[in-house]
Amino acid sequence: MPHLPQPGLLWRDVTVFDGLAVLPEPMAVLVEDGRVTGLWPDSAFDPHQAPRATEAGRGGVMTPGLVDCHTHLVFAGQRADEFERRLEGASYAEIAQAGGGIISTVRATRAASEAQLLDQALPRLEALMADGVTTVEIKSGYGLTVADELKMLRVARRLGKEAPVRVVTTLLGAHALPPEFAGNSDGYIDLVCEAMIPAAAEEGLADAVDVFCENIAFTPAQCERVFQAAQRHGLGIKVHAEQLSNQGASALGARYGAMSADHIEWLDEDGVRAMAEAGTVATLLPGAFHTLRETRLPPIELLRKYQVPMALASDANPGTSPICFPTLMLNLACTLFRLTPREALAGMTRHAALALGLPDAGRIAVGSPADLCLWSVQQPAELAYAVQPGRLRQRVFNGVVTHEQ
Ligand code: NIG
Ligand code: FE
């Protein structure tokens, strides 16, 4: 079939946040055939530059489509009881050690079919999309058998086919020790390295591999074996690091070329330096910090000093961040971690794309993919300053307007 170019779409007089900064004057933006093909100061725009384009919008703030680079969106059930137990004083670690937490979601997820998981994940994905997400990373990690981890990854891939959104998948087999491996965590890591990773790679179901390196999860030595297996199979590496204690997991991940180290409240200067040298992105997850009422702040000043790119994500999951509201994350990153609105926005666009190994995404530039958001606000900082659903005027995915209000 011949390739039919899509008709061009033109936005006039929009304030553009390009993924790193707010452009100094209102812009005209042209999109053709799934790409941004023109970007001019509106005052200098001559309609002859885009003679066949239709005007799609005028005024407002345009950002790249939001990139949510760390989610656990596919799972069954919910954990409101655990939330109540934490309010009564139990800690996240105590609940996990007593067989609750992640393992309770594992029980529900193992019992669910692919169709049931898809049905439960879809509204969460729609909530992210309704608040501007055009690319989302989805982890497995609630199956913990080869079949159940692959089932989760298949659901994640299907979400990307059924909805207008880019889905990047991550195998998180090393998330928690399943009960059938009690007392044999090395044996479970053998399964992850010798069966899960090869199977996920073989079926093309995972883009990357992640681990939970923590005293309630897996040791640095075990995580290192997982990184080696990921490398053997050509998969990217990510790490849940320094969330509850300093295990040196970020530096370890950096040594293996990790794309990102995520959470990092307990990260120290050596770890920051290692990340800077390796180009590992620091992914901040203020939803988990907020939900667990953490007090230890991630080392924002050190990350700035060493110029480690900071990404920001929802960590949407049933335990530590039951929140599918990406622009709330912009606000939490500013109020809790003292990011500037500009840093927070870069964290959910350009830097989040880097955390996923997608250098073209999360930006507005000539040639970049036309994944865009037009917001009913006057300046980009408003997206972080006010917490308010419903500000997304248009969502453009792959050059097509998929949401309009
Ligand atoms: O990113 N830290 C580990 N994993 C998730 C929580 C998963 C859960 O509690 O279900 C996180 O916070
Ligand atoms: Fe997580």
Side-chain angles (χ1 to χ4, degrees):
M1 211 167 75
H3 176 70
L4 297 175
Q6 294 163 0
L9 294 177
L10 179 68
W11 283 265
R12 296 290 311 270
D13 198 28
V14 289
T15 301
V16 170
F17 176 82
D18 71 357
L20 287 179
V22 184
L23 300 186
E25 41 181 325
M27 304 296 286
V29 181
L30 177 65
V31 163
E32 292 166 304
D33 220 10
R35 301 248 153 208
V36 175
T37 53
L39 189 60
W40 305 268
D42 197 76
S43 57
F45 178 71
D46 172 353
H48 291 108
Q49 287 164 299
R52 284 183 304 281
T54 311
E55 188 169 306
R58 194 174 271 263
V61 165
M62 182 174 276
T63 67
L66 301 185
V67 178
D68 195 347
C69 66
H70 179 141
T71 84
H72 308 247
L73 216 59
V74 172
F75 60 85
Q78 45 80 30
R79 306 217 310 256
D81 292 351
E82 175 185 321
F83 178 64
E84 292 191 60
R85 277 167 64 200
R86 282 206 312 275
L87 291 173
E88 287 158 7
S91 74
Y92 180 67
E94 282 162 2
I95 291 169
Q97 271 147 358
I102 294 172
I103 293 301
S104 69
T105 300
V106 170
R107 283 191 288 273
T109 303
R110 285 180 175 179
S113 67
E114 258 183 62
Q116 287 166 331
L117 286 174
L118 191 80
D119 276 357
Q120 293 186 39
L122 207 51
R124 295 190 277 267
L125 178 62
E126 283 165 354
L128 296 182
M129 289 163 52
D131 200 36
V133 167
T134 54
T135 298
V136 61
E137 184 255 18
I138 302 178
K139 300 177 195 295
S140 64
Y142 295 119
L144 313 186
T145 65
V146 176
D148 289 304
E149 287 292 298
L150 297 188
K151 173 177 78 176
M152 290 187 69
L153 292 171
R154 255 183 235 114
V155 173
R157 287 275 194 244
R158 269 179 65 188
L159 286 166
K161 296 208 172 73
E162 302 210 354
V165 67
R166 281 172 225 287
V167 172
V168 175
T169 59
T170 302
L171 173 70
L172 177 55
H175 194 197
L177 186 65
E180 62 275 17
F181 277 88
N184 183 18
S185 57
D186 283 329
Y188 180 66
I189 292 296
D190 291 342
L191 179 77
V192 171
C193 296
E194 288 159 24
M196 263 179 214
I197 292 175
E202 165 98 350
E203 291 194 36
L205 286 172
D207 301 309
V209 171
D210 196 347
V211 297
F212 186 17
C213 189
E214 192 52 71
N215 47 33
I216 59 164
F218 297 98
T219 65
Q222 292 170 330
C223 293
E224 187 163 9
R225 290 183 52 209
V226 176
F227 297 157
Q228 288 165 348
Q231 281 187 339
R232 280 198 297 279
H233 291 275
L235 299 174
I237 289 170
K238 301 176 82 68
V239 49
H240 281 72
E242 275 68 78
Q243 179 183 15
L244 307 170
S245 61
N246 185 357
Q247 304 276 324
S250 306
L252 176 66
R255 275 215 304 285
Y256 281 87
M259 295 189 285
S260 69
D262 303 32
H263 286 288
I264 58 168
E265 281 84 347
W266 291 81
L267 179 64
D268 61 18
E269 187 158 2
D270 287 345
V272 174
R273 203 179 294 113
M275 289 171 67
E277 281 162 12
T280 299
V281 173
T283 300
L284 305 171
L285 304 173
F289 181 94
H290 159 77
T291 302
L292 297 182
R293 305 182 73 239
E294 297 289 355
T295 51
R296 167 99 183 191
L297 289 163
I300 303 298
E301 270 316 320
L302 285 173
L303 293 166
R304 286 182 180 134
K305 176 174 157 195
Y306 286 90
Q307 298 183 341
V308 175
M310 290 183 278
L312 186 62
S314 70
D315 195 15
N317 78 70
T320 64
S321 190
I323 308 174
C324 297
F325 192 178
T327 55
L328 172 62
M329 295 302 144
L330 301 174
N331 177 270
L332 292 179
C334 297
T335 53
L336 299 175
F337 297 164
R338 316 304 285 165
L339 258 60
T340 64
R342 189 200 68 74
E343 286 172 324
L345 276 165
M348 275 220 143
T349 54
R350 187 95 188 91
H351 291 162
L354 292 181
L356 296 179
L358 301 173
D360 283 351
R363 60 198 303 213
I364 300 179
V366 172
S368 63
D371 293 351
L372 306 166
C373 291
L374 187 70
W375 304 91
S376 298
V377 296
Q378 291 170 39
Q379 63 181 90
E382 269 183 77
L383 295 170
Y385 144 80
V387 178
Q388 187 179 327
R391 293 173 296 185
L392 183 66
R393 196 191 302 172
Q394 284 173 336
R395 176 184 180 277
V396 181
F397 176 70
N398 204 22
V400 176
V401 178
T402 59
H403 163 109
E404 182 120 39
Q405 74 170 25

